[in-house]
Each structure stands twice: as C-alpha cells, then as structure tokens.
Amino acid sequence: MIVRASAILLLVGVVGSCHADRHAGAETGKGLDAMEVPLQDVASEGGADVGPRPDEAEEVVNPADASADDDAGSGGCPSEPPIGKVCAQAELVCQYGTECCCGRCYPSLVCECHGNQFGCYYTDACLIPGCPDAVEVGDPGTTDAADPGSGDDAGQAIACGASPPVFPEFDESCEQDQDCVVVFHEVNCCGTEVALGIAVSAQGAFQQAEEVCRSQYPGCGCPAFATEAEDGNTAWDPAQFAVKCQSGRCFSYVVGAAPRCHDVDECEDGQICLAPGETLPCGICREPEEACEKDQDCEPSQVCEWVTGACLCQPAMQCVVRCDLPMGSLLPPCQQGEACVDGHCVAQACVSDTDCPWLFWCDPTRETCARRTCGTDSDCAGGRCVKGLCYDSLGTCSYIPP
C-alpha cells in the first residue's frame, strides 16, 4: 500500500518562499513532522545535519547499496520502490529519491517493512511554507559556506528561501568607479535576479554567499522577470549593466537608460526627479485660454475643471474632455485612486483602506482615497517611495527644458 503524508498541495508565493523538487525523483509535499525515518545529511547539496545519520538509525538501507537483482523478499532494499510488495526483514527502512530545499536534502519516498509487507509514503519534505533555519556563512558543516575569515560579512545568516529572505549585506564603499563591480543576486525561485554594485574587495565573499543562496531555491517552473539595477531600470542582457561610484558608494545602472530616482538627490546636477505620471515642467509657460466657470460653459462632451499642466503659467479653469466618454483607449480615463463622477475625475470615495487601491489609504477627514506617504521603500508594501509618496515604480531623472 502507499500512504501520502500530505494530500493537500500548498501554493506558496513565488517571491522568497516558493518550494518544489529541484532534483529528479519522486513528487514532493508537506510532511517534515510526519517523517518516521531520520533525514539524510547531504553536505554536498549545501545542507546541514537535520537528524541522525543512517548508521545511527535503527536500520536504514539506501537502495543504491542494493544490487539490481535484489527483490522485495530478499532481505535488502530493492533498486526500485517496493510499493505493495512483500518483505522478509522486519523494521527494514528504504529511502528513494532526493529533494532539496532551504539548504537541506531529504528522501522523497520512504518504504518500511511491517508484517511481511512494505508500507510506503511520500515525505512531501519540500512543500513547507518557509525555510525555518538559516545557513550560517562560515559554518563548517556546509560545504558551500564562506570561510569565516573571508571578509567582514562572513558569519551572517543566509536563508534565501525564507519569508522574508535573509541575505548578508556587502561593502559598497568606493572612491572611484574602479573600486566597484556589478554582481547578480537571485531573489526568488523563478530565477529573477537583481544587479548590485559592491566593492571589488567584497566580490569573493559575495560569490560564496550567493552559491549558498541559490542552492536554497528549488526550481519553481515559473518565468523569471527582467533583472533590475539599483537605478530602477531593468534589462535582460547582463552586458547592459554597469556600475559607478556615486556619493561614496557603488551603484549599479542600466547603460543608456534614463536614470530613475527616489528624490532629486539621486539625479545629476541640473536634473529634477519626476514621480510616475508627473509631467515635465515647461521652460516657457503660456497664459491659459478659453477659461470657464462651470460645465455649462463647455461643449456637451466637455466639463470645466482646474488645469495645472499643459505648460500653463498658473492653474486655470478650462474645458476638458469628460472622463465618462468612450475614448477608444484601454487605459482608464482617470488616474489610480480616482473615480469618474458626472464626467469629472475625483478622488475615490471610501470608508476604510480596503476600499482603496494598492499604495493608497482612506483619509478619514475627507473619506476619500489618498496616496500613502512614506520615508523609504519599506513603507510602501512592495512599491517605491518617490518624493515622500508611494508609487508602483521609481521616478525619472530629467533635465528642465530651457
């Protein structure tokens, strides 16, 4: 007979805690606490001791030690899983397949001899919701770990499969561009990477830590996103990434792409930081024309609204196209956090934060959705903090027109 340790497959988030079998073998699932045999220590896979070794167990036989002629009744472990077969050696335990996650490796299928018949079950070892244990850089029990004396960052925990993931920081200080190097850090089980700028002296320690990190991600079978640099731009070709020494620290960027920004401090001299959707100011402004006071002053297809862009020297009431008219575009006529009411784009009404879109909150004084304020990206629940407000992407550095 065959018994599953877990019959329900857990769908785990792609970023940071996606778990599946990275190696060939039996299918996987949840069940670490349900295992009745010791888990094997596979140091070559970057794992640590997680239980007694096979020679310390009651009697665990690896099928690789059995000959191809062994059958289920010969007293040894057959080369193939003996599901439903008879056996002669009581308490015999055989393990099949390998699955690795969180830096450790486990058998995929376990078969035990009870009452002259094998009972088998899948361990489902790698469908856990997160990696509970971190690998210490410099731990002599892990072959992929960095040497404790390899740099200031040695000895920090690595748990790339955990949620949130844990990965050490590396020296970014510099005096000139030649002090820096671009490195690529994997950030999820899909294989998505980020390009980082670090000091050349820290490159060796980073590579050792990155090997440990990558060994903790199983293969998820999902497509990777484009690699993102620290300037906020993305690219697929590693050759498009470069690094420079900016304000005393190494900073990665995509060659030829417009610089991205959190604020004006990340832009070059003479540039400003435009938030997503913000229009570039005009060098020479113009006086507003055809001003209106109310909707009735405009054509039937228009409404009267305050207009601040379009290179006007000052805000003015002008006739604009109604937001409730079909425009032949897939894009919504109003911005995120707004609703179309009687032809006008107005702040979306709300009672609680759940009534508002991502990166917005419900302002109780106005009972409308407002963009969240922030100090850093971490305040924006997966978004970016640009000029004190949360957006879904970074701003863009741009020169002011003459």
Side-chain angles (χ1 to χ4, degrees):
M1 63 177 178
I2 181 167
V3 180
R4 282 202 176 277
S6 172
I8 300 176
L9 298 182
L10 302 179
L11 179 62
V12 183
V14 170
V15 179
S17 60
C18 186
H19 296 268
D21 187 7
R22 190 175 188 134
H23 304 270
E27 54 190 297
T28 64
K30 184 178 179 181
L32 288 177
D33 54 353
M35 293 195 64
E36 299 176 5
V37 297
L39 301 178
Q40 297 184 45
D41 172 31
V42 188
S44 63
E45 295 291 339
D49 269 340
V50 293
R53 295 180 181 276
D55 55 2
E56 297 172 352
E58 186 173 320
E59 183 167 2
V60 178
V61 183
N62 192 314
D65 299 330
S67 68
D69 297 330
D70 286 340
D71 58 33
S74 65
C77 284
S79 58
E80 297 294 329
I83 299 173
K85 293 186 177 181
V86 298
C87 55
Q89 186 175 349
E91 306 302 327
L92 176 66
V93 178
C94 302
Q95 301 177 359
Y96 299 87
T98 303
E99 54 189 76
C100 298
C101 53
C102 306
R104 298 178 178 180
C105 294
Y106 312 91
S108 295
L109 180 70
V110 175
C111 295
E112 300 177 348
C113 180
H114 297 291
N116 297 323
Q117 186 175 13
F118 276 108
C120 302
Y121 61 90
Y122 289 103
T123 64
D124 288 351
C126 281
L127 275 185
I128 54 179
C131 295
D133 300 312
V135 176
E136 294 290 334
V137 179
D139 182 354
T142 59
T143 58
D144 289 332
D147 188 309
S150 62
D152 295 337
D153 300 290
Q156 296 188 36
I158 298 177
C160 289
S163 182
V166 180
F167 192 72
E169 295 182 357
F170 294 88
D171 183 18
E172 301 175 347
S173 61
C174 59
E175 294 183 358
Q176 53 185 351
D177 293 350
Q178 290 75 13
D179 298 333
C180 304
V181 64
V182 176
V183 293
F184 296 91
H185 172 50
E186 187 171 333
V187 294
N188 62 36
C189 63
C190 298
T192 303
E193 298 179 329
V194 293
L196 304 174
I198 64 172
V200 173
S201 59
Q203 185 175 11
F206 171 86
Q207 290 174 340
Q208 290 177 315
E210 184 64 15
E211 288 179 7
V212 176
C213 176
R214 290 175 184 257
S215 73
Q216 296 174 341
Y217 283 123
C220 294
C222 48
F225 291 99
T227 301
E228 182 176 350
E230 290 171 298
D231 70 344
N233 289 300
T234 60
W236 291 100
D237 185 1
Q240 291 184 257
F241 295 90
V243 65
K244 59 183 176 181
C245 184
Q246 179 175 291
S247 302
R249 78 172 188 91
C250 298
F251 185 78
S252 64
Y253 64 96
V254 176
V255 177
R260 308 298 294 274
C261 56
H262 292 88
D263 53 46
V264 69
D265 293 337
E266 296 180 356
C267 299
E268 298 180 2
D269 292 341
Q271 291 184 328
I272 59 174
C273 180
L274 295 176
E278 186 178 3
T279 57
L280 188 67
C282 297
I284 301 176
C285 65
R286 65 179 181 84
E287 293 297 329
E289 299 176 358
E290 300 179 0
C292 59
E293 295 182 357
K294 55 185 182 298
D295 292 348
Q296 288 73 16
D297 296 334
C298 304
E299 298 291 334
S301 61
Q302 297 177 323
V303 290
C304 187
E305 286 189 352
W306 279 102
V307 176
T308 58
C311 298
L312 295 180
C313 294
Q314 66 270 346
M317 294 287 285
Q318 287 197 303
C319 293
V320 298
V321 177
R322 299 175 62 96
C323 60
D324 53 6
L325 291 181
M327 301 298 293
S329 172
L330 296 177
L331 297 177
C334 299
Q335 296 183 2
Q336 188 180 29
E338 293 182 336
C340 184
V341 178
D342 296 331
H344 296 265
C345 288
V346 298
Q348 182 177 327
C350 60
V351 177
S352 65
D353 291 352
T354 57
D355 297 328
C356 299
W358 178 48
L359 303 179
F360 284 74
W361 71 296
C362 186
D363 185 345
T365 60
R366 295 182 174 87
E367 296 184 341
T368 56
C369 296
R371 195 172 289 276
R372 291 184 179 274
T373 59
C374 57
T376 64
D377 288 347
S378 60
D379 298 329
C380 294
R384 298 301 186 97
C385 185
V386 181
K387 299 165 65 174
L389 295 174
C390 292
Y391 292 88
D392 57 3
S393 64
L394 288 175
T396 304
C397 294
S398 179
Y399 287 101
I400 300 176

